[in-house]
Amino acid sequence: TLDIVLNKIQSSDTADVSQLNAYTLENAEATVTNLALAVSTFYDIEVKQLYASSETNTLEVDSLTILPKYSKYEFSRVADKQIDRINTFIRHIKVSGLQFSQLRDSAFLASKIQIESAEVYSFRDKRMPFKETKNKPLPMAALKEMDFGIEIDTIQIKNSKVTYDEFAEEGFESGKIIFENLNATMNNVFNRSYYNKPAHATLSASAKLMGEGVIEATFILPFERDKPYQAKGKIGKLALQQLN
């Protein structure tokens, strides 16, 4: 269901009415409810509500769910290889300072993305054959490979949970590691270089490991391909039997 309001639409008399670029408008407001997308042969996406306003430069998503189409063990068998099966629920996403006018020029510019109360469950069955022939790019290299420009001052994750579950190649059952109360902030997320901005992104994160130990980490992610990534962190107050 789509509700949309467009205010003060203008176009020159000689413009082709079929061309969206021929129009200008003061602002727009839209609400999409009960959105369902089949994004690939392996995943569906469901969104309870999406709201966007060019007047306030905001985009908000209420209850986003990424659903695998196959069960835990069937997923990698359909893919016929080792592959991560990721089930995700995000209660709320808010994008602030979004420059809607730049989207027409294939650029995503925003001051802040805030993700609240996310829960991610990832499973990998290592008994399946490993068929990757190329190294996966590191985060900043992957950003640079995108076809559109990205400029985000801050990405913030609040009060979230990540579970990684794995069935070892010679295991008898799967084992999992859980990060709860996950909070993270990433600054300077760009895929273009600027002389007056930092030459790296910074990611700081903290979480409870297995419900008890506190883990804290900071990462430096350089934009230049030949620069090394840096990471430092610490774990404390963790009873070792929690890892058994």
Side-chain angles (χ1 to χ4, degrees):
T1 304
L2 171 64
D3 294 316
I4 187 167
V5 178
L6 306 176
N7 295 312
K8 294 186 178 179
I9 304 172
Q10 293 182 335
S11 179
S12 63
D13 293 336
T14 58
D16 187 342
V17 294
S18 65
Q19 299 297 317
L20 290 178
N21 290 338
Y23 296 89
T24 61
L25 68 156
E26 185 176 90
N27 57 68
E29 184 177 4
T31 301
V32 183
T33 309
N34 299 323
L35 175 65
L37 300 170
V39 293
S40 72
T41 56
F42 290 98
Y43 289 101
D44 290 328
I45 291 181
E46 295 178 358
V47 176
K48 183 178 179 181
Q49 187 178 81
L50 185 151
Y51 170 78
S53 170
S54 65
E55 184 176 14
T56 60
N57 293 328
T58 57
L59 172 69
E60 295 193 55
V61 178
D62 180 22
S63 300
L64 181 147
T65 307
I66 302 175
L67 294 168
K69 293 184 178 181
Y70 303 99
S71 64
K72 181 175 176 178
Y73 294 105
E74 185 183 12
F75 194 90
S76 58
R77 282 160 177 73
V78 173
D80 193 32
K81 63 179 181 179
Q82 278 189 40
I83 186 172
D84 290 320
R85 176 187 181 271
I86 299 174
N87 197 328
T88 302
F89 172 77
I90 303 175
R91 187 173 303 279
H92 189 251
I93 302 172
K94 183 176 181 179
V95 182
S96 305
L98 178 58
Q99 303 299 311
F100 286 92
S101 61
Q102 297 295 319
L103 295 175
R104 293 192 305 179
D105 297 325
S106 299
F108 184 92
L109 279 63
S111 58
K112 185 177 183 180
I113 298 177
Q114 184 169 298
I115 300 170
E116 294 185 24
S117 302
E119 187 164 346
V120 179
Y121 175 85
S122 177
F123 174 73
R124 176 174 283 245
D125 191 345
K126 288 204 165 183
R127 298 171 297 176
M128 295 297 293
F130 185 79
K131 295 184 177 181
E132 297 289 345
T133 57
K134 297 181 180 178
N135 290 330
K136 290 185 177 180
L138 290 168
M140 305 316 293
L143 276 178
K144 285 190 172 183
E145 290 178 0
M146 292 184 174
D147 294 332
F148 51 90
I150 294 177
E151 294 183 27
I152 306 168
D153 294 332
T154 304
I155 299 176
Q156 187 176 48
I157 300 173
K158 300 177 65 177
N159 302 321
S160 297
K161 179 180 178 181
V162 175
T163 301
Y164 178 70
D165 192 5
E166 181 181 287
F167 205 116
E169 188 175 358
E170 298 180 357
F172 296 101
E173 60 182 4
S174 66
K176 65 182 68 173
I177 187 166
I178 302 171
F179 300 90
E180 297 175 284
N181 292 63
L182 172 64
N183 292 279
T185 301
M186 189 172 183
N187 296 316
N188 304 316
V189 184
F190 310 135
N191 62 358
R192 298 170 176 172
S193 299
Y194 298 94
Y195 74 92
N196 60 342
K197 292 185 178 182
H200 61 268
T202 303
L203 171 63
S204 298
S206 65
K208 278 191 172 182
L209 179 62
M210 304 304 288
E212 292 197 13
V214 177
I215 182 169
E216 298 175 344
T218 301
F219 303 86
I220 303 298
L221 309 130
F223 296 129
E224 294 184 33
R225 190 177 297 272
D226 58 342
K227 298 291 184 180
Y229 281 61
Q230 300 178 39
K232 63 179 180 180
K234 61 182 180 180
I235 301 175
K237 300 180 181 180
L238 174 64
L240 291 181
Q241 61 263 34
Q242 295 298 320
L243 296 178
N244 192 329

